[in-house]
Structures are given as C-alpha cells and as structure tokens.
Amino acid sequence: MPPRAALTVANGPDVEVLDPQITSTTAGGRIFSALFEGLTRLDPSTLEVVPGLAESWHKEDPSGRVWTFTLREDLRWSDGTPLTVEDVRASWERLALPATGADYAVWMTSAEVFANQELRSVQVHFPAPQPLFDRMCAFHALFPIPAALRNAAPGSTPDPLPCSGPYQLEERRIRDRIRVVRNPYSWRQIELGFESIDFLTLESQFTALNLFLAGEVWFTPNVPDLAVPALHREYASAFQPRPQFATYFLRFQMQEGPFQDKDLRLALIHAIDREEVARNLGGGRPAASSLVPPFTDGYPAVGGPNFDLGLAKEALSRYQKRHPEGLPHLEYLYPSSDFNRNLAEVLQQQWAANIGVQVALANQEAKTFFPAQRGLEYQVSHSSWVGDYLDPLTFLENFVAESGNNRTGFADPEYKKLLQWAADCGEPILRLDLLAQAETMLLQQAVIVPLLLDVGQELVAPQLGGFTRNASGVIDWAALYPKALAQ
Amino acid sequence: MKFRLLRRIFAWILGILLVHALAFFMMRTTRGGPFDDARALDPLVLQALEQRYGLDQPFLAQYGHALSGLLRGDFGPSLRYRDTQVSTLLADALPISLLLGGGALLIALLVGIPAGLYTARRAHALDGKMVYGGGTLLLALPNFVIAGLLLAVFSFQLKWLPPAGLGGLQNFLLPWLCLGLPLSAQILLLVRSKARQALASDAFRHATAEGLPPRIISRRYVLRPSLGPVLAFLGPASAAILTGSLVIEKVFALPGLGTFFVQAALSRDYTLALGVTVVYTALLGLCTLCADVLMARVDPRLEALS
C-alpha cells in the first residue's frame, strides 16, 4: 500500500465507470470535478457560472439556440498533449451516440457542433432553445474527454488517463480508493492545495462516520440519520446540513385505478402534514411545498394543495358519494431502504389517523421498483429527484407526456405548451414565470406531492480549509487546503 | 482412494456447472435489468447497451455464451463497472477475501481447540465454567455486534487499530476477530464435548494406568479423537466465513468478494454476479473436499465406510 495521500476523503459508493459521460452518480461527480473540467464551472459559493476551460462564451440568439465558446489559450491534457476544440466537438458527439450508453445522451442528440481551430471556438446549434447550456456545461456529462477515453474499447480503461482538471489520476482500486495527484498542466495554479487526494469508496455511512471520528478522513458526503442529533450536539462546526437542489415527493398513477379520481388524490394530499413528516424522520430534511427547491433567483414561489384536514375530508366524502361501494385496496410502493420505509410508515400512519384511509405498504428493491414505476404498475409511490443544474426545468421537463421520467400517466397538452413557451422565451423573468405556471398546474392537478427537501449532510473537518457548502454539492478541489499550512 | 478423489473432483466440477446454470436462470427471470435506474435511459441508448452486452439475444443463446465463457475462465465485462472485466474484479477481490477468511479460520482454530480442551479438563472448576460461558455468549452474538464492540474498544477507546479501510495487516485484525471468534466458540463446544468423552473413556483410563507419559496420553487419547468433529466442521465453517464476510467487509470497508456478491445481484450485474457465484461455489466445494480428505487421514474408518 502506498503512503497516505495528503488529503483523504470518504466518497460514498464506488464510481463504477471512470468516464464522466457514463457515470452520473454524485460520488462520480465529486471525482470528475477533480480530474476533469467543463467549459464552464460553478462558483461553489454563489453557484454562478464562471469560466472553466472556456475563457468566454455567448448566445448567438436570445433564446439560446446557438452558443459559441472560446477556449483558453494553450490548454493541455495531463500528458502534455494539447486540449483543443476538436476534443470538445468529438466529446459532445460521442455523448450523443447511442453506443456510448450515456444517461445524458439526450442533451446532445439533436445538436450540431462546429469547431474552429484558429479561433479556438466551438459553436453548438440546437433545433430548440437551450437557454441554460452554459450552466449545463459545468455538469460532468458535458466535460471534454480525451481521445484515449473516447476511443477506448468497451470494457477497458485507458492507462494513463489524460485529465484536464486540477488533479490527474494516479491510481484506481475498485471498491477501495481513487488516488489523484496534482495535474502540472492544469491552467489553474493550486497554491496552498493538497499534493494528492484519496477518495475512499465506502458503501456504509457508518463506516465513513467511524473513519471521520477517528480522524482518518477529513470529509464525508453524508452521515447516517441516526447520528444527526449527536453530530449537531458535538460536532456543530463540522456538521452544518443545508438543503440541496433535490426533492422527495410522491407520484400518483393517474392512468387507471383508484387514483384516476382527483378527489381521492386530494384527500390523501390534504391529509399529509409535511412538517410532522419532517420532524418525525429526523435527519434535518425540511418540508417542501413545491417540487422545485426554492434556490433559483427570480422563480416565483409555487404552491399546491397543503395540509388541511377539512379539505381532505371534503374531498374524501365527494369521492365516497361517487363510490358508495367504499374504498378499494390502496397500496404505496417504495424502493427498499431504511429511510424510504420510515417515510412510508409515517405517511401510512398520517393517512390512517387523519382521514381513516388504510394504505398498504409494499417495497421492492431499486432495480425492480424503477421498471414497475415506469410501467405504471403502482398506485402511489415514493419518488425523488436530484436537479442536474440549478434551474426549475431539470425538474419540470420530467412531466411532459413522452418523458421516461414522467411515470404518472399525466399528459396534459397545456403543460407541454407552457414548457415550450418557456423554452422559446428569450426573457429570463418571463421564462421563469411560465415555468412556475407549469409547476402550479402539476401541483394543482395533484399529479405529484412534494414532501421534503434533501439536505447535504457533509461532515468537514475543522482542519480542512477552503470548503464551501452549497445547494448543489459542488466542491472546488483546487480551493481546498490544510488550515495548519495556511497559518 | 485415488479413484474416490477423482470422483469427488468430478462431482465438484459438476456442482459448479449446476450452480452456474441455476444462478443464470434465476437471475435472468428476476424483474429489472442492469440499466433500470432512477433516471430513464433514452430508448435508443438502452437498445445499444443491450445489444453490446448481448442482452437482446434469446435466453438460451445468452446461457450458451455465459457457459462457454465459464469454460474459458472469461466472464466478460461487468455490467456495472462497464470499463472493467469481471475476471479483473475477481482477481483483485479474491486475495483479500482469502486473507480475511484464512485469518479468521486460523483464529477460530487457535482459540477454539485449546479453549475446548481446557474447558473439558476443568469442566467443574470455576475458570473452566467461565470460559465455557464466554464461548456460549460469543455464539449468541451476531458478528456485526461483535464488530461494534471491538471498534468501540480498540479503535475509539484505546486507538490501537484503524476503524476501517485497506492499509496493512493491522486493518485485518478486527475483521479476523469478528469472523473468527463466533466460530471459535462453536469449535470450543465441539472439542469440549468430544474431549470430555475421551477423558472419561476406558482407553484414557487404561493409558493412564499403564503410566504412559501425560503428553502422549493427551495427544493420542484426548486431542486426536477431539479433532474429528473439528475437521468435519471445517466445511460448514468455511461456508460461515464466506457468508459472514459480506457484513464484515462492509463494516470494515474491505474490498473482498463478499460485498460484490450482494451488490452484483442487487444491481443486476449479471456477469459479475455469475463470476462471484462460481468462485464462491468453487471455494466452498474445495474447502469441503479438503476437510473430507483430512478427516479420512485422521480417522481411517471413515474411508473404509465411504
């Protein structure tokens, strides 16, 4: 075993494929942001789009159908070879190829990319407006990747892996660790930072917590909910959970079955006391009254049916008048996990206590759950979504009829029209307003029920300087430094 | 003897093939595939992926492919770790599992046999009863509870040993104890009951009366008869270690085979799950085979019977 890295962090589950186009987990995102860089980056304190590999960029038209990026001068991969506009073009084309098998292929399938070597510029044309493409470029699926990775045979990894980020890959041991060391060719100069970082694979949050408490790791991305009260008490400076751009919510299956009836949906929604749910579950996740977390500047506050026992009972009696035969068997489906089970039990208890409706609980392991949810083989089900970029669209686009992430049977042409108008709209404030109308429609029609915001539960050792908590879990590895050294 | 051994080896290979086939069909009839995730894949992308991994082919053709891979010792690329071959993953994980399991077995034997003999000799004394009671208690504790206790004492109170991770041998000490101690308790009980019988036997009394040196009496008339059940127990013990290591590997973040076993099945990583199942089956068969051969050596009557 080589000697310890200058910084050791817990990184959660394994990064399955060391390819930013293929792995889309948050654990993968943390590693990719050390090894690679996008044309743009997000400032970890403001989450604003700042220059990355591109020194500048602009929309050619107000709606964002055409974007032009200009790369910095003399960019290089970590093996010293030039990083060119051609790399950008080829990477984006590879992302779109079905054979690549990328989760985010759809971002680029209809795009045309043109590279100009002399001007160091890349121009990308979309048939529909992409007003946030500069923000999307900060997400690792759109990072330029080296030719060695683009052309790697399936089932193999290039060795060495040319990198573009502040760090480069030194060693990868599956389910043990990924070690990165400084990339001498990065355009960013690290002054105080760490020479090397070990990202430990730790499936168990308890193990990660043990390592943190023993001082073996200086950062862990999340903690077991059970430990939250004690951490608040004893590690208040290291543990400051804050809401993330991610929501827990319920989906109703509206195509057939009992929840075709809006009154039954409303009865259940009005009977949920979100504040009580949040308190009951612990872990510090706040109640959410909208699907889109409230972090986008200029996005109006959106609301739908809330906790109101009077309205719940009214809705239920309307339903019962139409269905004098009584309530059918109702079932809540969730993917197996401790947290999901606790959430399910709290909801079940509230429905029974508040309006006397018995809902059976059923769980399936994730790989069974998702096809079942997609196939509408459920009545009401647990759901969650993590925003890919800080914009309401990353939540709302899921609920157009043809999206594979809709999974409710909701297919209102008005909804799609609102999203379309928002896309065509060049005026940012108006665009957000249209999106808010779409979300209101989603909530008012009782398609989904927002429940809780997810929280970032990072534990950060007091010795680790330069760490900024934010709503997207963005970490600037090059900005981290050991505090002792700085003093 | 040779013929019987060949027959056993043949049965072992047949067993591997059978388990491989069973695992293949059970896994493939389970709902959900490797690419079913929270985020829906574009249908064209899904199709391309299924094509690349041959998942679009008829069931039997896929089985034939998996079988020919098994015979060549090539399980193909993992479906979860898509840039890595299953054989690479197994080759990396197997030594860690063997080190973990081997050490645990050694601890089980080194603690269990002497403790068993001791408690047999001092069955009516207080210290003997205490050791016996301790063994019974250990037997009742699941290994993750033992892990929690050991961590609290050795990692957090005394700060002697790292709480997890893959460093040097010191990282293996606690996992060895967690896996080995419950087994040592079982061995203690086995040895104790056999040794008590031996101590009360005519042969033992006769040998004592003959005035043979105590060391020879102990070895020949107490230790040797007591070891029979221990050897017979080695087969099930290896199984217990293999399955017990699932939890222990996770708690101590050791990248052995155990965590792969569960994860591969949960993530529908068909190729990796098959690979791990085959390696486990082979290991288990091999351990049982070795235990049987050793038993025949120690007690020739068994061979005459079989």
Side-chain angles (χ1 to χ4, degrees):
Chain A
M1 195 60 214
R4 298 170 69 97
L7 171 65
T8 306
V9 300
N11 193 43
D14 232 345
V15 177
E16 292 120 354
V17 186
L18 217 45
D19 179 337
Q21 297 190 339
I22 292 179
T23 300
S24 55
T25 58
T26 47
R30 278 189 285 273
I31 299 224
F32 296 138
S33 65
L35 294 180
F36 297 98
E37 192 165 305
L39 297 190
T40 60
R41 296 188 297 126
L42 296 182
D43 183 314
S45 47
T46 60
L47 291 181
E48 267 169 25
V49 188
V50 295
L53 296 179
E55 59 184 18
S56 65
W57 63 92
H58 60 275
K59 285 185 246 188
E60 298 287 343
D61 64 320
S63 68
R65 279 190 170 83
V66 181
W67 288 81
T68 307
F69 293 84
T70 307
L71 294 196
R72 290 170 193 276
E73 245 175 298
D74 200 30
L75 287 174
R76 287 180 187 276
W77 296 103
S78 56
D79 60 358
T81 56
L83 191 168
T84 67
V85 286
E86 191 47 40
D87 286 312
V88 182
R89 191 193 61 77
S91 299
W92 287 354
E93 281 187 4
R94 176 183 181 263
L95 177 67
L97 283 181
T100 305
D103 288 356
Y104 291 88
V106 61
W107 280 9
M108 294 306 280
T109 33
S110 49
E112 275 187 287
V113 189
F114 305 94
N116 185 323
Q117 292 278 11
E118 269 127 63
L119 297 173
R120 301 196 312 277
S121 72
V122 189
Q123 196 165 73
V124 49
H125 295 238
F126 296 99
Q130 283 289 5
L132 300 160
F133 189 67
D134 55 344
R135 192 167 271 284
M136 290 155 77
C137 281
F139 187 73
H140 55 78
L142 287 175
F143 288 0
I145 54 170
L149 186 56
R150 298 197 298 269
N151 306 327
S156 71
T157 332
D159 183 26
L161 176 71
C163 298
S164 60
Y167 287 90
Q168 60 176 322
L169 182 67
E170 162 109 336
E171 198 191 7
R172 174 193 188 200
R173 293 152 60 114
I174 286 181
R175 291 185 316 143
D176 178 30
R177 74 191 61 208
I178 286 177
R179 173 165 296 179
V180 303
V181 294
R182 280 195 199 188
N183 170 6
Y185 289 99
S186 166
W187 66 269
R188 296 180 68 192
Q189 297 302 313
I190 308 178
E191 281 167 20
L192 296 168
F194 295 95
E195 279 302 325
S196 54
I197 307 177
D198 267 353
F199 293 85
L200 299 190
T201 293
L202 293 167
E203 295 285 347
S204 157
Q205 294 176 348
F206 288 97
T207 309
L209 180 62
N210 282 345
L211 284 170
F212 182 87
L213 296 178
E216 302 261 330
V217 301
W218 282 13
F219 163 84
T220 167
N222 35 44
V223 298
D225 279 353
L226 275 176
V228 166
L231 288 170
H232 271 305
R233 264 196 322 272
E234 286 160 44
Y235 290 85
S237 69
F239 184 63
Q240 294 165 12
R242 71 180 48 195
Q244 294 292 291
F245 200 53
T247 316
Y248 290 98
F249 60 100
L250 303 184
R251 280 181 168 94
F252 284 111
Q253 196 272 93
M254 320 170 30
Q255 191 148 300
E256 52 178 33
F259 289 113
Q260 267 180 310
D261 192 303
K262 188 180 173 191
D263 279 325
L264 189 56
R265 301 202 298 272
L266 280 175
L268 257 59
I269 299 175
H270 284 305
I272 297 173
D273 182 353
R274 295 181 179 109
E275 299 295 338
E276 174 65 30
V277 173
R279 262 196 308 278
N280 226 311
L281 285 174
R285 293 175 189 82
S289 51
S290 61
L291 175 69
V292 178
F295 300 126
T296 331
D297 284 339
Y299 187 69
V302 170
N306 284 323
F307 178 52
D308 187 325
L309 282 185
L311 290 177
K313 283 171 186 156
E314 274 174 36
L316 188 63
S317 68
R318 282 198 301 274
Y319 175 85
Q320 281 165 333
K321 257 182 213 142
R322 279 199 302 280
H323 299 87
E325 72 280 5
L327 279 174
H329 174 78
L330 299 178
E331 191 179 85
Y332 173 93
L333 184 67
Y334 64 95
S336 319
S337 86
D338 288 345
F339 173 78
N340 295 351
R341 191 193 59 235
N342 293 344
L343 176 57
E345 284 170 356
V346 172
L347 292 173
Q348 181 188 45
Q349 186 271 331
Q350 290 196 352
W351 286 324
N354 291 346
I355 49 172
V357 171
Q358 301 299 328
V359 179
L361 302 183
N363 73 91
Q364 294 174 343
E365 38 123 13
K367 291 280 179 187
T368 311
F369 172 83
F370 290 116
Q373 197 185 47
R374 207 163 288 144
L376 301 182
E377 298 158 37
Y378 72 94
Q379 294 182 334
V380 50
S381 77
H382 172 101
S383 299
S384 61
W385 193 257
V386 182
D388 298 323
Y389 46 90
L390 205 60
D391 187 81
L393 190 65
T394 179
F395 285 87
L396 300 178
E397 66 186 357
N398 290 331
F399 294 95
V400 296
E402 58 275 19
S403 165
N405 297 322
N406 179 318
R407 307 174 206 166
T408 57
F410 172 69
D412 193 325
E414 287 298 316
Y415 182 81
K416 198 180 170 186
K417 220 179 274 171
L418 281 169
L419 291 196
Q420 191 64 46
W421 286 342
D424 288 332
C425 173
E427 166 54 44
I429 299 294
L430 187 59
R431 173 180 173 273
L432 289 177
D433 206 53
L434 287 165
L435 290 177
Q437 285 182 40
E439 187 182 356
T440 308
M441 175 184 274
L442 202 60
L443 299 181
Q444 293 298 345
Q445 294 200 14
V447 183
I448 56 153
V449 198
L451 291 176
L452 302 168
L453 282 184
D454 202 8
V455 285
Q457 298 174 315
E458 295 106 340
L459 263 178
V460 182
Q463 313 92 290
L464 183 59
F467 192 94
T468 314
R469 293 182 167 84
N470 56 61
S472 289
V474 171
I475 299 172
D476 184 0
W477 297 101
L480 303 184
Y481 60 90
K483 272 194 185 150
L485 194 85
Q487 279 156 7
Chain B
M1 173 70 193
K2 258 198 188 129
F3 176 69
R4 264 198 292 275
L5 190 63
L6 274 177
R7 209 172 56 187
R8 286 294 304 268
I9 292 175
F10 180 71
W12 176 59
I13 293 172
L14 202 69
I16 294 176
L17 290 176
L18 207 67
V19 169
H20 175 263
L22 265 174
F24 178 89
F25 286 104
M26 280 166 67
M27 212 154 40
R28 303 309 300 279
T29 43
T30 311
R31 180 90 195 264
F35 309 116
D36 283 316
D37 282 313
R39 187 180 299 279
L41 275 179
D42 184 85
L44 281 176
V45 172
L46 185 62
Q47 197 187 338
L49 281 172
E50 288 185 336
Q51 205 173 348
R52 181 193 303 164
Y53 295 108
L55 301 177
D56 55 344
Q57 287 171 19
F59 234 47
L60 277 177
Q62 289 187 46
Y63 174 64
H65 189 75
L67 188 62
S68 82
L70 171 68
L71 299 180
R72 281 178 286 115
D74 172 16
F75 297 98
S78 156
L79 301 182
R80 178 158 178 250
Y81 301 91
R82 277 189 252 162
D83 56 357
T84 314
Q85 298 291 320
V86 169
S87 40
T88 313
L89 294 173
L90 295 178
D92 286 349
L94 189 59
I96 292 166
S97 279
L98 290 182
L99 184 60
L100 178 61
L105 199 58
L106 203 65
I107 285 189
L109 293 172
L110 288 183
V111 174
I113 296 175
L117 292 175
Y118 184 78
T119 50
R121 280 191 186 279
R122 312 209 23 109
H124 301 292
L126 183 66
D127 52 351
K129 280 184 178 155
M130 277 172 66
V131 175
Y132 177 61
T136 317
L137 187 69
L138 261 182
L139 208 56
L141 288 179
N143 55 18
F144 54 87
V145 174
I146 300 179
L149 294 173
L150 291 178
L151 277 171
V153 175
F154 290 101
S155 292
F156 289 103
Q157 286 295 320
L158 302 170
K159 298 190 195 302
W160 285 352
L161 294 167
L166 193 60
L169 281 185
Q170 74 274 14
N171 289 72
F172 279 89
L173 271 174
L174 292 182
W176 280 338
L177 289 173
C178 293
L179 273 177
L181 285 181
L183 281 180
S184 74
Q186 265 173 296
I187 291 177
L188 180 156
L189 294 186
L190 286 173
V191 170
R192 180 178 185 268
S193 85
K194 267 286 173 187
R196 285 189 73 181
Q197 281 175 23
L199 286 171
S201 69
D202 293 343
F204 176 81
R205 260 179 301 183
H206 185 77
T208 317
E210 293 250 309
L212 281 174
R215 267 184 47 217
I216 294 188
I217 300 180
S218 291
R219 207 167 64 205
R220 204 178 285 168
Y221 296 101
V222 185
L223 182 61
R224 199 163 172 158
S226 309
L227 285 187
V230 175
L231 288 175
F233 179 64
L234 281 184
S238 343
I241 283 179
L242 288 179
T243 48
S245 68
L246 311 190
V247 181
I248 294 305
E249 281 179 17
K250 191 170 171 187
V251 171
F252 292 99
L254 294 174
L257 281 176
T259 27
F260 266 158
F261 196 43
V262 180
Q263 266 178 22
L266 287 179
S267 61
R268 303 290 188 275
D269 188 342
Y270 301 135
T271 46
L272 180 58
L274 273 185
V276 182
T277 309
V278 164
V279 170
Y280 265 171
T281 314
L283 269 180
L284 198 55
L286 205 62
C287 290
T288 321
L289 190 61
C290 291
D292 287 357
V293 169
L294 273 177
M295 262 167 68
R297 274 282 163 78
V298 173
D299 191 346
R301 284 173 305 179
L302 285 173
E303 198 182 339
L305 282 174
S306 67

